[in-house]
Amino acid sequence: MAVSGSPRNPLVLLGPQRRPGLDKIIAGLQLSGPFATITAGWQERELADDELDEHLGGRATNLALWSRRQDVLDRDPDFAAAHRRRSVELTDLQELYLIGVRHTSRALTELRSQTERSERAKRFAVSDGEEVLRSLDQRHLERVREINATFYAATRPHEHPLIAAHRAEVAQLLTAAEAVVLAGGHVGELLDALHLFNVVPAGLDRLPVIAWSAGAMVLTERVVLFNDNASRGPRAPEVYDDGLGLLPGVVVLPSARQRLRMQETARMGLLARRFAPAVCVPLDPGARVQLEADGSLPGDAPVIDESGVASTFEAVSSAGAVNG
């Protein structure tokens, strides 16, 4: 098993920053700034970033992507109307997809509970159910891509003077930055703003990146939402959208021990198998995962193996090589 990309500048994934230690991480990476910060996931609180700036030595410039997007939606009524229509369609698609995911997940729980059935027959049935779940995920993601592609083809954001001006300013700020710090918050708002202002081609893919929570999630190829401990009861993990693709072969799970029933190995094993060959990487408070120079995960990166047990990337890779 290998999870790697092309050689790149340092990419560091962190657990939730309830007690920020960015100053130490920055020092360890020998970065002095200036830094471009992205806090669009904080929404209205986007620019309440004094503490973040302090940890970056006062050398941070917030790209203000959420505020820029709001400016576009306020001042460009045609684009705003199209944006609202797409949001409604994506919400409907997500909620209908979740009905299928919930029913399939419940069926798998029932199949696993059939203790009086032959193990071979039960194994076949469970395998078929898991394949249905993966098919639902894949088809849903394809339809999300189709809706997004239709939206961008119809609106042609680069032809809107206001959007083009914001994109140029964002690119200029990234050109001046030594590294990017990508915070968490609302993953949907964050991802939408990143796409609208073309942040990857504008420079995110060439700079060192330090990211946590939703900021780490959006770097992946596929954003997965999850919460076993939601107030209304467990939610089956759900595919949300394509990420930025800077972290291939990885599903990031922030605050995993708080939001997942890690002790339920059957549930965790299904999670790992469902998204394989990508590996599920839990990022709890205090976690730090720095990718290798070739873009691969380090051997000590925490992962959930396909039996549902907390392990390391090295152990899972070794087992995969042996089994293969």
Side-chain angles (χ1 to χ4, degrees):
M1 178 186 295
V3 178
S4 63
S6 57
R8 58 157 296 127
N9 286 309
L11 194 161
V12 181
L13 310 176
L14 304 175
Q17 294 297 289
R18 297 186 181 91
R19 295 182 180 178
L22 283 175
D23 49 351
K24 298 180 180 62
I25 292 166
I26 294 298
L29 293 172
Q30 298 183 327
L31 297 171
S32 57
F35 302 97
T37 58
I38 300 174
T39 58
W42 297 356
Q43 302 177 85
E44 294 88 349
R45 297 182 56 256
E46 177 181 52
L47 300 180
D49 60 352
D50 291 348
E51 183 180 10
L52 178 59
D53 186 41
E54 181 181 348
H55 279 269
L56 296 173
R59 302 209 63 203
T61 299
N62 198 315
L63 297 186
L65 299 182
W66 189 85
S67 300
R68 293 178 188 275
R69 192 193 66 167
Q70 294 308 111
D71 182 50
V72 170
L73 297 178
D74 288 343
R75 296 170 58 194
D76 189 332
D78 291 340
F79 183 85
H83 189 275
R84 283 193 297 273
R85 289 193 297 270
R86 180 188 60 154
S87 296
V88 169
E89 189 171 15
L90 286 172
T91 297
D92 287 345
L93 186 71
Q94 193 76 23
E95 291 178 353
L96 292 172
Y97 150 75
L98 273 174
I99 293 173
V101 168
R102 282 197 300 268
H103 282 292
T104 307
S105 299
R106 289 168 185 160
L108 281 165
T109 299
E110 185 176 353
L111 288 170
R112 286 195 298 266
S113 71
Q114 300 297 305
T115 56
E116 296 181 359
R117 308 289 185 176
S118 85
E119 283 301 314
R120 186 182 183 198
K122 188 167 76 169
R123 187 169 64 252
F124 287 155
V126 169
S127 177
D128 288 346
E130 291 181 1
E131 186 58 37
V132 169
L133 203 49
R134 284 189 289 270
S135 178
L136 285 170
D137 293 338
Q138 182 58 35
R139 291 177 183 177
H140 174 66
L141 193 53
E142 289 169 357
R143 287 160 183 159
V144 170
R145 289 170 183 160
E146 182 180 342
I147 290 171
N148 285 330
T150 300
F151 167 75
Y152 280 106
T155 58
R156 302 176 69 82
H158 59 283
E159 295 182 0
H160 292 243
L162 182 57
I163 297 174
H166 278 303
R167 286 183 173 185
E169 289 175 7
V170 168
Q172 185 175 15
L173 292 172
L174 286 170
T175 298
E178 183 187 18
V180 174
V181 176
L182 187 51
H186 190 292
V187 69
E189 296 285 296
L190 174 58
L191 191 58
D192 186 46
L194 288 164
H195 283 313
L196 178 58
F197 298 113
N198 264 351
V199 175
V200 171
L204 189 66
D205 56 348
R206 64 172 177 79
L207 291 168
V209 178
I210 301 168
W212 62 89
S213 299
M217 293 170 74
V218 300
L219 296 175
T220 63
E221 293 175 300
R222 175 175 50 180
V223 175
V224 175
L225 309 182
F226 61 97
N227 193 353
D228 285 349
N229 298 313
S231 58
R232 296 183 180 179
R235 281 179 68 107
E238 58 188 278
V239 172
Y240 178 71
D241 198 351
D242 286 317
L244 302 180
L246 299 182
L247 186 56
V250 174
V251 173
V252 171
L253 306 171
S255 300
R257 294 194 179 278
Q258 177 184 349
R259 296 169 61 85
L260 289 172
R261 297 181 179 179
M262 296 284 285
Q263 73 281 5
E264 297 183 14
T265 55
R267 191 177 183 88
M268 294 302 97
L270 172 60
L271 175 70
R273 293 190 301 275
R274 177 177 170 185
F275 298 116
V279 293
C280 292
V281 176
L283 292 175
D284 289 303
R288 173 179 172 174
V289 176
Q290 180 170 341
L291 269 65
E292 305 289 2
D294 65 354
S296 64
L297 286 172
D300 62 355
V303 302
I304 300 170
D305 70 22
E306 292 190 12
S307 68
V309 174
S311 185
T312 64
F313 180 64
E314 181 178 25
V316 168
S317 298
S318 299
V322 171
N323 293 336

